[in-house]
Amino acid sequence: MIRCIHLTTGADGESHFTEGQIDLPAGERGDSISSVAGARSISFRETSGGGSFDWHEAPEHQLVLTLSGTLEFETRSGARFQLNPGDVLWAEDTAGGGHRWRLLGTDPWRRAYVILSPDARVPFVPTQGNTHAN
C-alpha cells in the first residue's frame, strides 16, 4: 500500500483533502503494480530542515513524491495532515484558498514533482470516511 493524500479545491473555493492509497492490483513477479498515469515532466527539489511555505495553491495538477522529511499541511479551515517519506500528495487545489506546509524536525524535505498530463488518471482509492472539508 502506498499512502496518498488527494488535495482539491471544493465548491466553496477552499482546499480540502481526502486520505487514501494508490491502487496496486497484483502484477507480474509477485509485485503489486498500478495502472499508468500520464505525466508531462518530473523535477526534484530539496528544502532544508525547518522550512515552510505560507498559503499557496498547487501551480499545476501534480503528484508530489516525498523521498525524505516529514511535513504538516494545513488548509484554511484548520484541517491538517502529515506527509511522511514514501507518501504521495496528489495536488489539484490550483485555485481558491490554498494550503500551507511546514517541515517537522530537522530532516530536509526531498521530493519529486510529477506534472500530470491533462488526461492523466491517477489510480487513487479513497479511504472511506476520510474526506476533510472542515
Side-chain angles (χ1 to χ4, degrees), residues 22-25 32-37 123:
I22 299 296
D23 187 29
L24 296 171
S32 298
I33 303 171
S34 78
S35 60
V36 174

Side-chain angles (χ1 to χ4, degrees), residues 56-87:
H56 65 284
E57 301 87 26
E60 298 190 60
H61 292 235
Q62 62 189 0
L63 299 176
V64 184
L65 315 176
T66 296
L67 306 172
S68 73
T70 300
L71 298 102
E72 180 181 70
F73 278 73
E74 182 180 9
T75 65
R76 289 194 185 264
S77 69
R80 293 186 167 115
F81 64 91
Q82 248 185 35
L83 279 185
N84 301 299
D87 289 345

Side-chain angles (χ1 to χ4, degrees), residues 1-8 16-23 73 75 79-84 87-90 123-134:
M1 176 180 95
I2 298 174
R3 181 172 176 256
C4 183
I5 304 292
H6 187 197
L7 191 57
T8 59
H16 304 279
F17 65 93
T18 302
E19 297 181 48
Q21 62 189 28
I22 299 296
D23 187 29
F73 278 73
T75 65
R80 293 186 167 115
F81 64 91
Q82 248 185 35
L83 279 185
N84 301 299
D87 289 345
V88 175
L89 175 65
W90 178 15
F124 176 77
V125 178
T127 304
Q128 195 167 30
N130 276 327
T131 297
H132 301 274
N134 52 349

